[in-house]
Amino acid sequence: MKKIGIMTWIRYQNYGTALQATALSKVIQKLGGYEVYNIDYQPRPINDKFDYRISAVAKKAAQVIKGHLNPYYSTAKKTALYDAYLDKNLNITEPCNTEPELENLNRRMDAFVCGSDQIWS
């Protein structure tokens, strides 16, 4: 059975991305003869500096306040539910964030599919 790796953003808690990754995985599997893996690509930031833009600080502050005011809004709970969905519906590789890890993955896969236009940004 040929191994196909899908490169897309799956760890950024975007529901559209999760559904797109799930749909693409299922379509490739239905073609038959393919074992599909979603690549858990987690790039390291170019720099580790804090984002001091007013919009970024305000957004983070709003998330913290929202989390304290609404007991149903919990970032930890939301993350756990999102990750549980991915684990249940996708076959995910080990995390990859360095060039040697990606090269190793290249040796294990027969082909790759780019699953979203967002990976180029």
Side-chain angles (χ1 to χ4, degrees), residues 39-45 94-102 105:
I39 300 167
D40 192 2
Y41 180 56
Q42 299 179 17
R44 291 187 177 140
E94 67 282 348
C96 296
N97 59 18
T98 65
E99 192 171 326
E101 290 169 339
L102 291 170
L105 200 57

Side-chain angles (χ1 to χ4, degrees), residues 18-90:
L19 294 174
Q20 172 267 324
T22 303
L24 182 57
S25 295
K26 301 296 181 197
V27 167
I28 293 172
Q29 287 171 350
K30 285 184 179 182
L31 292 173
Y34 300 108
E35 191 173 345
V36 181
Y37 295 87
N38 281 267
I39 300 167
D40 192 2
Y41 180 56
Q42 299 179 17
R44 291 187 177 140
I46 294 172
N47 60 32
D48 293 327
K49 294 180 181 177
F50 181 75
D51 188 353
Y52 289 102
R53 293 175 298 168
I54 300 272
S55 61
V57 172
K59 183 177 179 180
K60 183 65 177 171
Q63 288 174 340
V64 170
I65 291 168
K66 188 176 182 180
H68 287 293
L69 296 177
N70 183 350
Y72 299 106
Y73 181 87
S74 164
T75 303
K77 185 175 182 179
K78 185 177 174 183
T79 299
L81 289 170
Y82 186 86
D83 288 345
Y85 172 85
L86 293 182
D87 292 341
K88 178 181 177 187
N89 293 285
L90 299 176

